Amino acid sequence: QVQLVESGGGLVQAGGSLRLSCAVQTSTVSLYTMGWFRQPPGKERELVAAIAWSGGSAYYADSVKDRFTISRNYATNTVGLQINNLKPEDTAVYYCAAKPRGAGPGQYSHWGQGTQVTVSS
C-alpha cells in the first residue's frame, strides 16, 4: 500500500518560485515510479514530470522543461517539484502519483489529495 501526501502549494506572483513536496508512505518505495500531474481549471489532468526511485533520468513535459525540476530524497522518502519562473498558465491543482516500476505511462495507481497552485499576473 502507498500513501501520498502533498504540500507546498499556494498563491504566487508570476515570475516567482514554489517547491511542492510529496511524502511517500510505503515500505517498498524503490519499486515505484513517481509522477507529478497537474489539472488546470476546466482542463484534463496532465503529467508534467516523473522519476523512478531506482534511478535513471527524469521525464518532463515539453511545456515545463527548463522551469520544473523533480527530485527524490531517499532519506525522507519525499519527492519534490521545484517550479521556477511561474506563469499564470501554471495555475492548477498539482497531484503526486505513483505507479509500479515498469508499468505503462497511464498506470499510475496511487494518488495524493492534490495541492492548489495559483499564479497571479
Side-chain angles (χ1 to χ4, degrees):
Q1 186 71 339
V2 181
Q3 290 188 322
L4 307 173
V5 181
E6 302 101 333
S7 60
L11 174 63
V12 185
Q13 286 190 333
S17 298
L18 203 61
R19 180 173 178 81
L20 307 182
S21 184
C22 175
V24 185
Q25 300 171 4
T26 178
S27 60
T28 56
V29 64
S30 63
L31 299 181
Y32 292 89
T33 291
M34 304 302 301
W36 281 99
F37 288 74
R38 69 181 180 185
Q39 186 166 20
K43 297 185 179 180
E44 293 188 354
R45 188 161 53 190
E46 63 171 339
L47 177 66
V48 295
I51 195 167
W53 278 105
S54 57
S57 58
Y59 160 85
Y60 296 98
D62 288 341
S63 58
V64 306
K65 280 181 181 177
D66 301 324
R67 297 193 300 118
F68 286 29
T69 302
I70 189 171
S71 61
R72 54 190 181 272
N73 186 314
Y74 296 100
T76 60
N77 269 18
T78 56
V79 177
L81 185 68
Q82 178 69 36
I83 309 174
N84 297 325
N85 189 21
L86 277 154
K87 303 176 180 181
E89 52 264 40
D90 294 322
T91 294
V93 179
Y94 284 72
Y95 296 91
C96 176
K99 67 180 178 84
R101 192 176 59 200
Q107 299 295 313
Y108 285 86
S109 51
H110 299 86
W111 295 85
Q113 81 285 358
T115 186
Q116 176 71 46
V117 172
T118 303
V119 184
S120 62
S121 57

